[in-house]
Amino acid sequence: MDLGVAFISQEKIDIQRYIDSPEEIQRLYKRTLWIVVLSQVFGGAGLAAGITVGALIAQDMLGTDSYAGIPTALFTLGSAGAALMVGRMSQRYGRRYGLSGGFIVGGIGAIGVVAAAMTDSIILLFASLLIYGAGSATNLQARYAGTDLATAKQRGTAISIAMVSTTLGAFAGPNLVGVMGKFAESIGVPSLAGPFILAAAAYLLAGTILWVLLRPDPLVISTAINKQVEQDTSSVEEEVEDRRGIFIGAAVMVITQVVMVSIMTMTPVHMRHHGHDLNAVGLVIGFHVAAMYLPSLVTGILVDRFGRVAIAVASGFTLLAAGLVAAFAPGDSLGMLIVALALLGLGWNFGLISSTALIVDSTVPATRAKRQGSIDVWVALAGVSGGGLSGVIAAQTSYMTLSLVAGILSFILIVGLCKVPGRAWKFSWKS
């Protein structure tokens, strides 16, 4: 009992130390960013496996293109449930529990995909992809951990640092498809399951890093600081959420996710039909994933400098360009497909970082993680729709039609954002 009381007392003392010292908060903020960066390097590698070969595994097992979008839909659906779980766990117990748990579950799912490929079990494949989706949800929610202790002027940059670190693993993952395929074959596993061996190891490592190092927990400290400020202030006003800001941020996330996932999912299948080998597919997806994350550091600075809504509009224009290039690029042109998928990744990057900053601006620490998790559920469900319908649309019409439909959605996003009141284009949503 005495040890328990001593532990609780020490925890309170540690929190009070951060409450009393802005310098200590900034030191913890920087340390948290480094931990998130380290975990995201591995998380990015785990994420890339499903993007690169998920559709191809289903195509081989089912023998048709019409259901090639199912793997993306399934692991995105799994990420929806995981986003809710990670958000609620983080709100109740802290980021450390939510994020480490999500990555470990994702790693278990990747192991299941490998087992499914070895046994040629489509049921096990689908079930494992659902579980594997937890890694994707956690990979996205990790970006919020970097903002818990950031000031308003640091939030865009904090999100960027968390995301840009994903580039190393995310770009390496697709380009290791050939290597991992040969390794898989050497141990008696189908070559397409090779990237999921990498994903399992990467997700488990990311979860372990967060569990061991993310102490003290940034969300716990942020919530404690906010409560202390409310107690100390003489004002009777309480900080409240900006529902309009949350809605606009969520809408930008949802639309950019639908556009990105729909084109990305069917590009490997489209390339295969035009004679491209697995290494070429890995190259295109590698450029795509790099464009999703590598520009993040610059994007964060732009978001903090020019405003959340302005960069969200830039996202719409970039995604529109991606849809048009993908639609009219010759199927045998590797260069044009790289350009299209790179634009697709960049547009998604603009949209995600600007909308994430807007959501952080518009929420309060007491409910922030829970709200973030709920929004990520809708984002994941949008990905499910994009991934599931993309195969049907491409099979019934063409890859060109699918890309043009995605471009139209991007245009709708631009029009909607241009109707947002002028004051919301300023640096701070609550200006």
Side-chain angles (χ1 to χ4, degrees):
M1 177 64 74
D2 291 339
L3 286 175
V5 172
F7 174 79
I8 294 172
S9 298
Q10 183 62 46
E11 188 178 56
K12 289 182 178 178
I13 291 171
D14 287 341
I15 292 176
Q16 191 62 45
R17 176 161 63 95
Y18 292 104
I19 292 174
D20 294 338
S21 174
E23 292 78 14
E24 287 289 336
I25 293 172
Q26 280 301 299
R27 274 194 285 271
L28 180 57
Y29 159 68
K30 292 177 182 178
R31 179 175 179 273
T32 299
L33 275 182
W34 278 111
I35 295 167
V36 171
V37 163
L38 185 58
S39 69
Q40 289 295 83
V41 170
F42 293 105
L47 170 69
I51 295 175
T52 309
V53 299
L56 299 180
I57 290 177
Q59 185 189 39
D60 281 356
M61 282 191 177
L62 296 171
T64 177
D65 292 349
S66 296
Y67 304 107
I70 286 181
T72 301
L74 283 172
F75 75 70
T76 309
L77 182 61
S79 74
L84 190 62
M85 176 195 73
V86 171
R88 291 182 182 275
M89 282 186 65
S90 297
Q91 190 69 66
R92 185 168 184 177
Y93 302 109
R95 298 285 187 195
R96 175 172 164 258
Y97 282 85
L99 296 178
S100 61
F103 273 131
I104 290 171
V105 171
I108 293 171
I111 293 172
V113 172
V114 175
M118 293 177 66
T119 59
D120 198 29
S121 172
I122 196 69
I123 294 176
L124 179 58
L125 174 67
F126 288 171
S128 298
L129 285 168
L130 277 171
I131 300 171
Y132 169 75
S136 175
T138 308
N139 195 72
L140 274 179
Q141 286 211 26
R143 74 194 187 278
Y144 289 120
T147 68
D148 287 329
L149 297 172
T151 65
K153 292 184 178 181
Q154 292 175 320
R155 285 170 184 161
T157 303
I159 297 163
S160 292
I161 292 172
M163 287 186 61
V164 75
S165 59
T166 309
T167 307
L168 294 175
F171 184 73
N175 287 286
L176 288 174
V177 166
V179 174
M180 291 305 300
K182 291 178 181 178
F183 170 75
E185 288 180 336
S186 72
I187 59 174
V189 176
S191 61
L192 286 177
F196 282 95
I197 298 175
L198 175 65
Y203 275 162
L204 292 174
L205 275 171
T208 301
I209 288 168
L210 290 166
W211 178 256
V212 173
L213 299 179
L214 199 61
R215 303 179 184 184
D217 193 287
L219 184 60
V220 172
I221 299 297
S222 176
T223 303
I225 292 171
N226 190 65
K227 288 181 179 178
Q228 186 68 45
V229 169
E230 289 180 355
Q231 291 173 3
D232 293 345
T233 184
S234 58
S235 172
V236 296
E237 293 184 5
E238 291 186 9
E239 191 177 8
V240 296
E241 293 182 333
D242 185 333
R243 293 184 178 275
R244 184 176 62 173
I246 294 172
F247 175 80
I248 293 175
V252 172
M253 276 194 192
V254 165
I255 294 176
T256 54
Q257 186 75 0
V258 169
V259 172
M260 188 275 289
V261 170
S262 60
I263 296 177
M264 174 202 69
T265 298
M266 293 310 298
T267 297
V269 177
H270 173 67
M271 291 181 67
R272 215 179 195 190
H273 285 322
H274 286 84
H276 296 283
D277 61 18
L278 203 56
N279 287 326
V281 172
L283 181 65
V284 171
I285 297 300
F287 272 98
H288 167 65
V289 176
M292 288 172 67
Y293 295 101
L294 190 57
S296 294
L297 191 56
V298 174
T299 304
I301 294 171
L302 294 175
V303 168
D304 285 341
R305 174 66 180 84
F306 297 106
R308 285 47 165 150
V309 179
I311 305 305
V313 170
S315 167
F317 278 110
T318 308
L319 290 172
L320 175 60
L324 293 174
V325 174
F328 295 106
D332 58 354
S333 174
L334 184 63
M336 290 299 290
L337 287 171
I338 288 175
V339 171
L341 269 290
L343 286 171
L344 187 68
L346 180 62
W348 178 86
N349 177 272
F350 286 166
L352 186 72
I353 293 179
S354 60
S355 58
T356 297
L358 181 53
I359 288 167
V360 174
D361 290 344
S362 304
T363 53
V364 296
T367 58
R368 182 166 291 155
K370 183 178 178 180
R371 191 76 68 207
Q372 289 163 345
S374 298
I375 291 170
D376 276 1
V377 170
W378 287 105
V379 174
L381 291 175
V384 172
S385 301
L389 292 175
S390 62
V392 176
I393 294 173
Q396 297 300 319
T397 56
S398 65
Y399 178 78
M400 173 187 286
T401 301
L402 173 67
S403 301
L404 289 175
V405 169
I408 292 171
L409 285 176
S410 305
F411 182 74
I412 292 172
L413 173 63
I414 297 168
V415 173
L417 287 171
C418 287
K419 293 183 178 179
V420 172
R423 73 177 185 86
W425 289 60
K426 298 178 182 178
F427 156 72
S428 175
W429 179 258
K430 297 179 181 179
S431 60

